[in-house]
Structures are given as structure tokens and as C-alpha cells.
Amino acid sequence: MENNYTSEAPLIQLVSFNKLLEHYDGQLHSKDASLASRAKHVLDAQAPYPELRDGFDDLGILEKRKDVIQTILADTFSSVLTENEIKTASIPFENLVFNSSKRFQKILAEAGEGFELEIRNLPENLQYIMQCTVILGFYYGFKIDFKRPLFYDIPDANGVMRHYRILYNADFMEISPTDKAKDLDEEDLDELLQNFDDLQLWKEKIPPNSFISKGFVISNMFDVTAEHSISEIKTTLIGNNKRGSENFMDDFQDTFRSLFNLKNISVGFAGYDSNTNRFLKIHGKGIESFILKGKEVEYCDAMLCDYSYGKLLRETTYYAISNVPRYYEKSGGGQPYKNLHEQGIKSAILAPIADNGKLLGVLELVSSNVNELNSINANKLIDVMPFIVSSVLRSIEEEQNLIDAIIQHECTTVHSSVYWKFQEEAKRFMTQELIGEEPAFNEIVFKDVFPLYGQIDIKDSSKQRNIAIQRDLMIQLSEINGVLQMAWSKFKLPIYEELMFRVNNLLDEIKDTLYTNSEQSIFDFVQEEINPVFHHLKREDEVIKAFIAQYEKQIDKTTESYYDHRRNYDESVMEINMKLAAHLDKKQQAAQEMFPHYFERYKTDGIEHNMYIGSAIANDRDFNELYLNNLRLWQLQVMVEMENTHYALKPKLPVALDVASLLLVYSTPLAIRFRMDEKKFDVDGTYNARYEVIKKRIDKSFIKGTNERLTQKGKLAIVYSQKKDEKEYLRYVKFLKSKGYFTNKIEIVELEGLQGVTGLKAIRAEILYKADEKSEKTYTYDDLMQELKS
């Protein structure tokens, strides 16, 4: 005999009709002559072929004895029901069918050539264990419920996937042990139940080929496509972040096609904003809106006719358009028919996604065939809409949470490294509130942390800004003078001459120096005296009106004044800040992975950043000063890289601004406290306040005994007060010089005493810039750590 079962299994499976034939053995002596005659007919047909009773594993016999097997199974496969029942005779846990009803044969034929029958969700690695659970019940008497719903997924003639639930009838099965079978007790059962997925254990307790199964199973199948589709829609919508997955809409559309039994329908969605009464495009992979037809947003009354508007927005009930072309003609090309018609849509259902009468969005089902979607099959949506509504409500809530998270991330400084501390405090707050107390949110303090501070400041920013303002004001006043000159020439009114005199005085006043109050006084003069006169002149003369229009075109609506040179300056500052901040933020992500530390940076005229590192912040990590040293070396490297970023950017700026860099080294650990009113961390205590004083004043300091400012373009200044810090940083500078970050020009300078602060020194290292941004090298933490350990 040829054994067709190749995979290892606890059961030696033999096809046998013994138990069914025993049924006929009993009927052979029935008082009912027709039953006895029928039994004799079946038994006589089987008698020459004892293997049909004894059992066989040569599956070729199924084909060879096909006629006899059909005779044996004739009563179980009634000819009266064969066109209606979906029924098969098969081998358990296999996809092999050897007898079936005509309805099943038709279903398989329509599935097309090459379709292979396969039970869904029956992984091969589970088959051994599944057979073992049957043995535990049949032979050992341990009742274990391992029943799972089993399904066949079979496409119909139109290619729409249909789903069939399989119900097994195992009345014609018998199981007997071989010599390999073992005795099992309650202890063995406990061990197996505890280790369901331990295949080796199952093989040890119930070895391969330790039992013989004889018989066959009858499978009755039921078309559960509608129920399955509803379940699939529910599952798809419940899953988190499904909307962003690649195949979300493909799967979703296939499910609706199965539900409606229509191959050519498509699904779309439109969101709804009740505040503005507009439909919105929902963003997600493959999500379209057919009523919006590619637009991001559109007012509802522009997208719907009165009737459809009433159905969707007032009644919140579905609106079926069974014949789009006809309604397009009848409405004279009105909406929503126009957009649907132009996309080749012939029938559609628009279903409101609503919660307690409040519209959240619209589900759109569309078809390229007339009448395919209509007010009758629209009722199929009744069962799925609650899941869609729940999903949309959850999606809105998740979106709001995301918005809140973004606002928190962008607008406050609760950094990820210290978030755990805020969580702890929030949990304590909630717990006290739950037990009826009136809690207060305690201040968050971190003690014994080391500070690091750095800044890249735009050089002479005040001077550059004043030059830009001065130039814009002079251009504006000159333009005003030109209009007044025309008015004086035409109308000879002394008031125009007097205004010209005042304008010229203002020009003389700001030509050399722009005083603090000059900008405001000129702005007030223009607003209160020039603008009313220009308003009058526009009505008096067309030529002057054209000149005034040209002047007004140059006025910025936000500042209500000339904004040309200032725009160039502001855009240059913004571009520098954006590029430097982006570089620092990117590098920070890697720095946090090495050892968690607090980080904040803010944009002024340049970029400043604070860092604090210590065991209080690291929470569950052991802090070692090596991590402080490494962060200092990292900071030094990144500051030079930011200088290089600016160097590459400078030629492209509207105003070629220079920058100067500075680091403050502070070796004394201090405490930081989160200021609830300012939503930021600050140093805590009067002793620690000295650090903040130094930070605020050092960039304005001079070299002792000179008028030379500490910060210079092209040089990095490292400010410190202790000799050990000097040694440490000279070592770092030497290391980075070898990597091409600095030139040989390195100096140590003493600083002029600041108010309340003396004894500060600085290393100034000349930066080596790279002409080609692409050639810029960066060094890993391994490099840096190696240097620290050497």
C-alpha cells in the first residue's frame, strides 16, 4: 500500500467505512423490508472489498472504488438535497474531499482552475497538537474543548470571496492504540495543559504513530459570508493604527464586496467638520472621497442638493442613488451627481456616520453599474454602521490625544528624560484624589546634577537689525516724499509742503543713527498724518492715486510699514536658527541613547541649549562621571559641526550674518527645579544662582585689560574657572584637532571681572571649516569613549 501521509502525526489515519457499515449490519434484519433491502444492497456492494471496512492509507483506492463508496454514502448524501446542501466526506484535518454534494462541486468549479481547497487558520505546527487533543478525548477520556471555528475561503464565479463555516460530524470515526501508546494520568494531563505550545512535550506523551484512526468525517458547510464580512469590518476597525497600513483600504473594500456580493464596488470616506459645515478629505493610505473628488475640503451645501443634504445632515440616514446618470441629467449637472458622474460612477450609497444624530462623516459606496447599489441593498449597512461609528469616535479621540501630545511636546519643556518623574507625581496626585483627598502637585526637583551650557550667537544682531530698520524707514519716507511732491506741484496747498518738511527732518534724523524711539515715532506719524492725507488724495487725482497704490503695494500687511530689508534679516536669522536647531536635535537623539540627560534648546538670535546630567535624572541607571566627560566631548564636537553648518549656509542667506560660539564649563553639581508658572526648569537655591548669572553675562565679557570681546567669529570660546576643567578641555581640543575640527591657533585668556563674578578664564580655539559639507566627518561615541579612557 502506498502511504500518502508524509508529515509526522500521532495518528495513523486510515480511511474506513466500518462504523457506517455496522449501521447497515444492524438494519439487515429490520422488520422494515425496504430498510433491510437497502442495507443488503449496500453490504453486497462492499463485500468484495474488505479494505473499505478494515481501513486503508492508499488514497488511490478512493478513486478505484469510487462507485462502491458512492453507494455506501448514498443515504448520507441525499439526492433530494444535493443541489442545496454544501456537504463533503473527507479525512479529518486534511483538505482531501472524496465525496460531495452537487452544490459543493459547483462552488469548487466556479472558484476556477488552479484553486486549492485549504482550511483557514489551521497552521501545520498545530496539526500534531490538535490530533493529540482528539486522542485525549476519544481514548483517554479527558474532555478538552479545543474546538475552533474552521472555514473555507472560496471565490465565486465573479471573483468575490465567499466564506463557509465547516461543521464536522465525527460519528463514523474510531481510534485505537498501537504498541507505542503510553498510559497517561492526571499529572501528565496537567503538564500538557500547562504547555500547549511545547510540541516536544506532546510528542513525548503521545508519540508519533501511537494511535490508529479509522473512518471519515462528514463536513456540513454554511455560507457565512455576510456574518464574516461584518466581523471582518469590526476587526479591521478595532485594530490600532490600521488606517496607516499599506493594505487597509484594499482589505476593507474586499470585505464590502463580499458583504454586498458585488465585485465592482469601491469604498470611500469623507470627514465632516460641524463648526464650518464642511466635508474634509481623510488622510490615510488609499482612502479616497468620491463626493469631494480630490479636493481637500468643501462646504456641504456646495457638494449636496437639498434632498441629499436633508437625508445626510438633518435625518442622518443613508441616501441611495441607483441611477447616477439619470439624476445628473434631471438636476442639470448638480451635486453630488456631477462629481460622481465625472468619475464614471453609475450607482452609489452615501451613508452618514453619525453618533446620536451628530454627523461625523460619510461612508461612500460606489459602483460602475446602474442599479447595482440601491435603497434595498443599502439596508445591509445597518449591521456594520455601529462599528464604523465606534471606530470614527475612537479615531477622533486618538487624534485629539495626538494633538494634545504635539502641543505638549512643542509648547512645553517636559523633556522625555524627566517625564518619568512627572508621571510618578501625576499618579500620586490621582491616587490621593481618588481616596477623597485634595492633593497639590509637588514641585519636581533634581539634586546633584551637572550643568552644560552652549550657545551659537548671531554676531552684532542688534546692529544688523537696526541697519535693516533704518534702510526700510528711509525708503518708505522717500516714497512718501515723492507722493507729497506731486500733490504740492498739482494743488499748491501749504499743508503738503509742511508735511514734506517734516518728512525731510525725519530722514535727516535717522540717516546717521537710529534712536530707540525713532521707529515708533515714524510709525505714528505715518498712521496718524500721512495715511489720512493719502486716503484723501486717492479720491482727488487718478495719477496720484496710481502712485499711492504703488507705495501701498510695498507696505507689509502685518507690520503696516516697509518690510524689505527687515524681511531679509528676519529670514536669515530664521534660516540660521532652523538649520542649527535641526542639526542639534538630530545629534541629541543619539546622545540620549548613550546616557539619558535633560536637554532644552531655544531660539533667540541664534541657538542656546542647556543640559543637565546625573543619577537623579537617569532614574534606573547608575551614573558615572565618565558619562559627564563624554557628554562634554560630544557637546564640543557638535558645536563645531553647527559652526560648519552655518559656514555652508552663509553664502545662501539674504543677509550674510556671522555667528560666534561659546561653552560654559561648570564642575560643581547643582539642583534644578521645575517652575510651574514658567513651565521650565531653573537652577534651585541662591548658591546655585551664580551659575545663571555667569550664563547671562559671559557672552558680553571682554578679555582682561583690553577692549576685545571674548566671543569672535571663527573661534569657539570655552569658559571655565577651575584648573582641572582647563586640562580636561585642552585634552578634548587636542583630540578634535587631530580629527580636523580645529587649527593650531589655540589660546588661553583671562576674562575681565563681571558684575559679582571674578576668576573666569577661557580657551579660544580657532575652528577649521570644511569647504565641502559632504566631506564633513563625524565621530561615534566609541571614538569619544576611547579617547576618554586613553
Side-chain angles (χ1 to χ4, degrees):
M1 271 193 192
E2 182 194 342
N3 189 328
N4 288 67
Y5 303 106
T6 54
S7 59
E8 202 172 38
L11 286 172
I12 299 168
Q13 293 200 79
L14 302 179
V15 182
S16 164
F17 302 96
N18 180 54
K19 286 200 81 173
L20 180 57
L21 291 167
E22 283 178 351
H23 168 74
Y24 288 115
D25 288 340
Q27 285 191 341
L28 195 59
H29 306 291
S30 172
K31 291 176 182 175
D32 186 326
S34 64
L35 284 178
S37 172
R38 171 69 190 147
K40 185 176 186 309
H41 173 68
V42 171
L43 292 169
D44 287 349
Q46 178 272 322
Y49 312 108
E51 68 270 19
L52 297 182
R53 224 184 241 275
D54 298 338
F56 56 89
D57 60 4
D58 177 4
L59 302 183
I61 292 172
L62 289 170
E63 181 60 31
K64 205 183 293 180
R65 306 287 178 246
K66 184 169 66 174
D67 294 342
V68 179
I69 290 170
Q70 279 185 343
T71 302
I72 295 169
L73 295 174
D75 288 344
T76 54
F77 285 82
S78 165
S79 60
V80 177
L81 300 173
T82 192
E83 301 286 352
N84 187 282
E85 284 187 331
I86 311 171
K87 195 172 185 179
T88 67
S90 62
I91 299 165
F93 311 114
E94 298 290 334
N95 292 309
L96 179 77
V97 169
F98 55 81
N99 202 66
S100 58
S101 64
K102 285 188 178 175
R103 170 97 185 269
F104 182 79
Q105 291 166 21
K106 185 184 177 195
I107 288 169
L108 271 192
E110 288 180 349
E113 202 175 326
F115 175 78
E116 288 189 21
L117 200 62
E118 193 172 337
I119 298 172
R120 189 209 312 160
N121 289 340
L122 197 60
E124 205 169 301
N125 63 326
L126 276 185
Q127 294 233 24
Y128 193 100
I129 296 170
M130 282 182 70
Q131 289 189 23
C132 286
T133 61
V134 171
I135 292 166
L136 286 174
F138 263 82
Y139 179 75
Y140 291 104
F142 297 130
K143 295 303 173 191
I144 298 169
D145 187 3
F146 188 62
K147 288 175 185 170
R148 292 173 59 207
L150 298 173
F151 298 90
Y152 282 134
D153 301 321
I154 308 172
D156 68 11
N158 296 317
V160 175
M161 188 61 74
R162 311 295 295 172
H163 307 281
Y164 301 91
R165 173 85 181 267
I166 307 163
L167 293 180
Y168 281 127
N169 180 341
D171 289 352
F172 307 111
M173 292 294 300
E174 46 193 327
I175 291 177
S176 56
T178 68
D179 56 1
K180 293 182 181 179
K182 295 183 177 181
D183 292 332
L184 299 183
D185 56 22
E186 287 287 344
E187 199 173 308
D188 294 313
L189 178 66
D190 289 346
E191 195 177 350
L192 288 170
L193 294 181
Q194 191 67 34
N195 299 281
F196 171 73
D197 54 356
D198 187 345
L199 184 59
Q200 286 310 118
L201 178 68
W202 285 89
K203 284 183 176 180
E204 181 194 318
K205 302 291 185 189
I206 306 175
N209 302 330
S210 55
F211 285 85
I212 295 171
S213 76
K214 284 171 58 176
F216 67 97
V217 289
I218 298 286
S219 302
N220 287 285
M221 280 161 271
F222 303 90
D223 189 334
V224 291
T225 303
E227 294 85 347
H228 181 273
S229 300
I230 292 166
S231 176
E232 279 291 292
I233 289 167
K234 182 180 176 182
T235 305
T236 304
L237 293 171
I238 284 171
N240 283 329
N241 199 29
K242 287 286 184 77
R243 208 171 70 184
S245 70
E246 290 289 344
N247 53 355
F248 167 76
M249 276 310 288
D250 289 341
D251 294 346
F252 203 57
Q253 299 205 87
D254 284 344
T255 307
F256 268 95
R257 286 163 187 160
S258 292
L259 178 65
F260 279 80
N261 197 21
L262 297 170
K263 189 184 181 181
N264 295 315
I265 63 171
S266 297
V267 183
F269 290 98
Y272 175 69
D273 179 8
S274 58
N275 296 322
T276 57
N277 195 33
R278 296 189 299 180
F279 288 132
L280 317 164
K281 177 176 169 58
I282 293 173
H283 292 279
K285 289 185 176 69
I287 299 177
E288 295 294 334
S289 169
F290 302 103
I291 56 175
L292 281 172
K293 197 188 158 204
K295 287 193 175 182
E296 285 285 323
V297 63
E298 191 61 77
Y299 286 100
C300 296
D301 48 9
M303 285 286 95
L304 302 171
C305 63
D306 288 345
Y307 183 73
S308 56
Y309 187 98
K311 281 279 188 185
L312 292 172
L313 277 88
R314 293 194 195 98
E315 297 176 37
T316 57
T317 187
Y318 65 78
Y319 177 52
I321 312 162
S322 54
N323 192 326
V324 171
R326 183 188 298 163
Y327 278 88
Y328 172 72
E329 295 294 333
K330 282 177 73 175
S331 67
Q335 295 288 22
Y337 320 107
K338 181 176 183 290
N339 278 1
L340 297 175
H341 180 69
E342 287 174 358
Q343 294 169 86
I345 294 162
K346 300 290 198 302
S347 61
I349 298 168
L350 305 179
I353 304 167
D355 179 46
N356 292 325
K358 182 185 173 188
L359 189 68
L360 306 170
V362 175
L363 169 71
E364 310 161 357
L365 296 179
V366 300
S367 166
S368 53
N369 298 318
V370 170
N371 292 332
E372 218 172 44
L373 294 168
N374 50 65
S375 61
I376 295 171
N377 60 12
N379 286 286
K380 286 176 177 277
L381 292 173
I382 291 169
D383 296 319
V384 299
M385 288 312 287
F387 305 125
I388 293 174
V389 170
S390 297
S391 172
V392 171
L393 284 170
R394 196 184 72 248
S395 182
I396 290 168
E397 187 181 336
E398 285 172 358
E399 193 170 84
Q400 190 56 52
N401 290 341
L402 187 59
I403 289 166
D404 291 344
I406 290 166
I407 291 168
Q408 183 180 355
H409 179 263
E410 296 295 327
C411 306
T412 70
T413 52
V414 180
H415 188 256
S416 57
S417 63
V418 294
Y419 196 68
W420 63 272
K421 187 77 170 175
F422 286 82
Q423 282 183 310
E424 277 186 1
E425 183 54 30
K427 284 175 186 171
R428 185 199 63 79
F429 187 96
M430 282 168 54
T431 305
Q432 284 193 295
E433 202 168 39
L434 285 169
I435 60 175
E437 295 182 18
E438 293 185 8
F441 200 93
N442 294 335
E443 285 189 307
I444 307 292
V445 179
F446 294 101
K447 294 180 179 177
D448 295 325
V449 295
F450 292 91
L452 295 93
Y453 171 74
Q455 69 169 49
I456 294 189
D457 199 28
I458 292 169
K459 287 287 288 175
D460 302 322
S461 56
S462 300
K463 182 181 169 186
Q464 293 283 356
R465 189 184 287 107
N466 282 346
I467 289 169
I469 293 168
Q470 186 182 30
R471 286 174 179 168
D472 279 344
L473 290 176
M474 287 178 72
I475 294 168
Q476 186 174 3
L477 289 170
S478 298
E479 293 287 323
I480 290 168
N481 217 9
V483 175
L484 292 172
Q485 183 73 53
M486 288 180 71
W488 160 249
S489 300
K490 180 140 193 175
F491 300 112
K492 301 295 181 187
L493 294 178
I495 188 65
Y496 297 138
E497 193 175 14
E498 191 270 342
L499 284 169
M500 284 163 60
F501 172 75
R502 289 165 69 190
V503 168
N504 283 318
N505 279 346
L506 288 169
L507 273 167
D508 290 338
E509 186 183 304
I510 65 168
K511 197 173 288 179
D512 298 320
T513 309
L514 185 72
Y515 295 101
T516 311
N517 64 339
S518 297
E519 185 181 5
Q520 188 60 48
S521 62
I522 291 170
F523 180 80
D524 292 342
F525 169 66
V526 171
Q527 292 293 317
E528 293 165 16
E529 302 197 46
I530 297 298
N531 286 351
V533 170
F534 278 15
H535 185 67
H536 165 75
L537 284 170
K538 280 195 284 188
R539 289 180 295 183
E540 291 291 303
D541 186 275
E542 286 299 317
V543 177
I544 295 175
K545 181 182 178 182
F547 272 88
I548 292 171
Q550 193 62 34
Y551 159 79
E552 287 177 340
K553 207 187 287 182
Q554 309 302 317
I555 299 295
D556 182 73
K557 287 176 183 172
T558 310
T559 60
E560 295 185 47
S561 56
Y562 258 54
Y563 187 62
D564 183 25
H565 289 85
R566 268 176 290 184
R567 181 184 291 109
N568 288 339
Y569 172 81
D570 288 346
E571 285 178 359
S572 299
V573 170
M574 189 172 68
E575 186 71 13
I576 290 169
N577 284 349
M578 191 174 72
K579 278 279 169 48
L580 297 184
H583 185 90
L584 183 58
D585 289 349
K586 184 181 175 186
K587 293 290 180 179
Q588 243 298 301
Q589 290 173 7
Q592 287 293 339
E593 288 176 17
M594 181 203 67
F595 195 86
H597 56 277
Y598 179 78
F599 170 80
E600 66 177 358
R601 64 121 179 98
Y602 35 98
K603 300 173 186 175
T604 51
D605 282 349
I607 299 291
E608 294 180 54
H609 67 271
N610 288 312
M611 294 187 288
Y612 300 101
I613 188 168
S615 55
I617 288 171
N619 192 12
D620 57 350
R621 294 276 301 269
D622 289 329
F623 175 72
N624 185 294
E625 278 204 27
L626 182 76
Y627 294 120
L628 167 63
N629 299 336
N630 190 65
L631 193 60
R632 285 175 166 181
L633 182 49
W634 171 87
Q635 183 188 35
L636 197 59
Q637 177 188 346
V638 170
M639 289 291 283
V640 179
E641 288 171 9
M642 289 165 73
E643 278 269 4
N644 267 283
T645 300
H646 169 261
Y647 177 74
L649 178 67
K650 184 179 170 182
K652 304 169 192 170
L653 296 171
V655 181
L657 298 169
D658 288 311
V659 298
S661 299
L662 171 81
L663 289 181
L664 173 60
V665 184
Y666 202 80
S667 290
T668 310
L670 43 76
I672 56 171
R673 181 185 297 271
F674 188 77
R675 309 286 177 192
M676 300 300 284
D677 50 347
E678 297 175 23
K679 296 287 183 284
K680 66 190 286 286
F681 276 99
D682 209 346
V683 295
D684 191 37
T686 50
Y687 174 74
N688 295 326
R690 182 173 182 270
Y691 173 71
E692 286 294 332
V693 171
I694 298 172
K695 236 168 61 174
K696 286 184 174 70
R697 294 175 182 168
I698 46 172
D699 66 323
K700 302 288 189 294
S701 59
F702 291 88
I703 306 298
K704 196 168 188 177
T706 72
N707 289 324
E708 184 187 342
R709 285 278 289 271
L710 166 65
T711 53
Q712 299 285 332
K713 69 175 183 178
K715 294 180 180 181
L716 175 59
I718 304 160
V719 179
Y720 59 92
S721 62
Q722 297 185 29
K723 190 68 180 174
K724 71 181 183 73
D725 295 331
E726 181 183 292
K727 283 182 179 177
E728 182 181 341
Y729 273 85
L730 282 173
R731 201 170 84 241
Y732 298 160
V733 169
K734 185 181 176 185
F735 166 63
L736 291 176
K737 188 176 77 172
S738 74
K739 301 291 188 183
Y741 278 70
F742 296 110
T743 70
N744 288 321
K745 291 183 182 176
I746 296 160
E747 58 183 331
I748 295 173
V749 296
E750 204 171 329
L751 304 190
E752 197 71 67
L754 301 168
Q755 187 182 347
V757 180
T758 55
L760 292 178
K761 296 174 78 177
I763 299 167
R764 283 204 304 195
E766 187 178 62
I767 295 161
L768 183 62
Y769 294 101
K770 295 165 183 64
D772 181 8
E773 215 178 349
K774 290 177 185 173
S775 70
E776 183 181 318
K777 297 176 187 172
T778 56
Y779 299 95
T780 64
Y781 286 117
D782 290 340
D783 291 331
L784 305 183
M785 294 292 276
Q786 195 61 43
E787 171 60 22
L788 290 169
K789 289 172 184 173
S790 62

